[in-house]
Amino acid sequence: MSPNPGLAKAWISAFRPRTLPLALSCIGMGGFMAAAHGVFNGTIVALCVLTTLFLQILSNLANDYGDSKHGADSVHREGPKRAVQAGHIQAAHMKKGMLLFSLLSLASGLLLLWVAFGAEGLLLFLMFLALGLAAIWAAINYTAGDKPYGYAGLGDISVFVFFGLVGVLGTYFLQAQELQAVVVLPALVCGFFATAVLNVNNIRDIKSDTLAGKNSIPVRLGPRRARIYHIVLLLGGVLSAVLYVALTFHSIWQLLFVLALPLVLANGVNVWRKQTASELDPYLKQMALTTLLFVLLFGIGQVV
């Protein structure tokens, strides 16, 4: 058992703060797109941020609990130790934490939908409620369910959908109450980059995931092809941004996101070159922060 860091620090560590920029990135992108189209609503964006942060923390707690339960967090795991695995938080207490953040996500989501649609938009309210419940289900069942879909290699699809399409398009629609087809491209930027963050995590954990029967994409592809897949994800995000600007070009400021490209390139080069888990681990956080910076620069460039 690892030295106990203290209960408060153990819970904060289990929240995995370095993953939270992804939640801010997709909501921020949706907010920027709404501002670019003249429909920005600060209250709705703030509630989107709150709800998404609750969902991300729920997913992280469920991942901590689920990987310990199913064996991916074991003595063979080379990444940072998880709270349940290390004995810092009891599994029963982690389940209570998951319940708490499920309820917080639901409450925040309901308030968000009420502010966005009111009593008049009942059909849209119910449609988005169903989407929110699906997000809660996905957050829990990625690794914590009896048949976790993350162990079948479906985590990439879930991340792409919820941190890309749903996060960006949902935030935009809640403000505009309509969709512009071109906004799909910024949603793809977030989807590709968020999946790249997960891919770094899964490349790092190939050894322990293989032993645990967790068939992530890198386990299925093998180390070299998983790194090729990573480059494809990064290129997909960059090309989606370029295409959006090409289709909507009106100012040189729209190219502001180019300033973040060296960081994207650095992530691709280092994930390709680094081989050990300890060498790869910093590039998970680096990619999450790069995504947030890319979104900030891209978004500011669309509204100035």
Side-chain angles (χ1 to χ4, degrees), residues 150-223:
Y151 282 65
L154 300 176
D156 293 52
I157 295 174
S158 178
V159 165
F160 187 87
V161 169
F162 284 103
F163 284 91
L165 301 179
V166 172
V168 177
L169 297 180
T171 301
Y172 180 88
F173 187 90
L174 287 167
Q175 296 168 87
Q177 299 200 16
E178 65 176 8
L179 279 181
Q180 300 287 338
V182 72
V183 180
V184 171
L185 290 168
L188 292 178
V189 173
C190 288
F192 281 123
F193 284 171
T195 307
V197 174
L198 176 63
N199 194 51
V200 177
N201 180 86
N202 289 341
I203 292 174
R204 181 198 66 194
D205 292 344
I206 284 179
K207 179 180 176 181
S208 58
D209 286 349
T210 300
L211 292 171
K214 185 177 182 180
N215 294 313
S216 65
I217 295 298
V219 169
R220 291 176 180 271
L221 293 178

Side-chain angles (χ1 to χ4, degrees), residues 5 10 16 23 32 35 56 126 146 158-159 162 178-179 185 189-190 194 213 224-225 259 264:
R16 297 173 68 189
F32 278 124
Q56 180 61 47
L126 293 175
D146 291 333
S158 178
V159 165
F162 284 103
E178 65 176 8
L179 279 181
L185 290 168
V189 173
C190 288
R224 185 176 185 279
R225 287 190 291 176
L259 295 176
V264 178

Side-chain angles (χ1 to χ4, degrees), residues 17 35 42 54 74 81 113 149 181 188 213 215 219 255:
F54 285 151
S74 67
K81 299 299 181 185
L113 297 182
Y149 63 87
L188 292 178
N215 294 313
V219 169
L255 298 174

Side-chain angles (χ1 to χ4, degrees), residues 10 21 25 57 70 72 125 141 148 177 195 199 202 210 221-222 241 301 303-304:
S25 297
I57 292 172
H70 295 291
F125 186 101
N141 285 278
Q177 299 200 16
T195 307
N199 194 51
N202 289 341
T210 300
L221 293 178
V303 299
V304 295

Side-chain angles (χ1 to χ4, degrees), residues 10-21 56-57 59-61 63-64 67 77 82 142 197-198 201 204-205 284:
W11 277 106
I12 292 172
S13 177
F15 291 169
R16 297 173 68 189
R18 64 179 179 172
T19 67
L20 300 183
Q56 180 61 47
I57 292 172
S59 178
N60 291 339
L61 297 182
N63 188 245
D64 193 306
D67 275 349
R77 187 173 187 272
R82 303 285 176 79
Y142 173 58
V197 174
L198 176 63
N201 180 86
R204 181 198 66 194
D205 292 344
L284 192 158

Side-chain angles (χ1 to χ4, degrees), residues 7 10-11 14-15 61-62 64-65 83-84 87-101:
L7 193 57
W11 277 106
F15 291 169
L61 297 182
D64 193 306
Y65 172 81
V84 174
H88 299 155
I89 298 174
Q90 296 179 21
H93 293 165
M94 187 62 78
K95 289 181 71 174
K96 291 179 180 178
M98 291 162 56
L99 176 60
L100 172 62
F101 277 92

